[in-house]
Amino acid sequence: MNTRKVVFLFWSTFLIGTTAGLLMGIMLDFNTHMQDLRNGQVGGVFMLFIGAGIWTIIAQMGFFAYLTIHRFGLGIFKSTKLWNRIQVVLILFALFDLMLFRYWAFGTAEETITDYAILPFLLLVYAVIVAYLKAKDTNFTAFIPALFFMVVVTTIEWIPALRENDMTFLLTAIVPLLVANTWQLLVLHRLHEQPN
């Protein structure tokens, strides 16, 4: 992949992820932001833009880190089947930890651990859809790596927001992360297929 394609991937991911995060932030507090804009105050929307941009850049760093880790995994284990099995174990571990650690940190007497299983379940459903699309566009061997990236890497990128028990913060973080990660994953092979 040449420099032009890397620059395209960076800027397209940044614009798509940041726009998605900005729109989510505006929708979560629509009346306040619209009132501010009518009064000529753009500070709140600008801060949403900055926040969404930061999450998108985190997603980009996670993507390139995963590409490196994936190559190391294939090199160390010498077998795609073994590396895929390890990735499946890590996916299950990440989903379980996403549920359990949040329950331990924020669970109240009225809540059960199943209340904290909703976010991991939704993340898994979304990741399966994206991994299916990736496998359909490339080949079936891409399913497990794509699923691993969408679940494990996204969860790691999401950790700063997961440390808070604020649904607004969780949503304004996960939307740019998921959109950016989805875009990067689904466009990468298309960039490779294009002539230089």
Side-chain angles (χ1 to χ4, degrees):
M1 202 155 87
N2 61 27
T3 307
R4 184 178 56 81
K5 292 179 182 178
V6 172
V7 169
F8 169 79
L9 183 62
F10 173 82
W11 283 110
S12 63
T13 303
F14 182 78
L15 290 173
I16 291 168
T18 303
T19 301
L22 177 64
L23 292 174
M24 175 54 74
I26 289 171
M27 285 191 311
L28 289 172
D29 197 2
F30 184 77
N31 292 334
T32 302
H33 292 298
M34 288 301 107
Q35 185 66 36
D36 287 348
L37 290 174
R38 278 193 287 272
N39 294 334
Q41 299 171 343
V42 295
V45 173
F46 181 71
M47 290 309 296
L48 287 176
F49 176 81
I50 296 295
I54 290 169
W55 288 113
T56 303
I57 290 172
I58 290 170
Q60 292 177 321
M61 290 188 298
F63 183 65
F64 286 104
Y66 172 68
L67 293 177
T68 305
I69 290 167
H70 185 63
R71 284 289 141 208
F72 278 134
L74 289 171
I76 290 170
F77 297 108
K78 309 283 189 212
S79 163
T80 303
K81 280 187 178 181
L82 179 58
W83 175 229
N84 281 347
R85 288 180 184 145
I86 290 168
Q87 288 181 98
V88 168
V89 169
L90 292 173
I91 290 166
L92 296 173
F93 186 70
L95 290 169
F96 180 75
D97 285 352
L98 183 56
M99 175 184 63
L100 185 64
F101 289 149
R102 290 195 72 246
Y103 176 69
W104 282 350
F106 306 116
T108 63
E110 300 83 36
E111 295 175 314
T112 65
I113 196 166
T114 54
D115 296 327
Y116 287 85
I118 295 168
L119 280 179
F121 175 75
L122 293 174
L123 177 61
L124 178 62
V125 169
Y126 183 83
V128 166
I129 293 168
V130 173
Y132 170 77
L133 293 173
K134 177 69 173 183
K136 186 177 167 215
D137 280 356
T138 55
N139 58 59
F140 187 71
T141 59
F143 183 82
I144 296 297
L147 187 65
F148 178 87
F149 173 70
M150 290 304 297
V151 171
V152 177
V153 176
T154 301
T155 301
I156 291 169
E157 295 164 350
W158 201 17
I159 286 175
L162 291 170
R163 296 176 66 177
E164 305 294 327
N165 198 25
D166 179 3
M167 189 54 70
T168 299
F169 188 34
L170 289 172
L171 290 174
T172 55
I174 195 62
V175 168
L177 288 174
L178 285 177
V179 170
N181 284 340
T182 301
W183 170 253
Q184 292 174 110
L185 193 64
L186 296 181
V187 81
L188 183 66
H189 64 275
R190 290 185 173 93
L191 291 176
H192 278 294
E193 291 167 358
Q194 290 177 358
N196 289 332

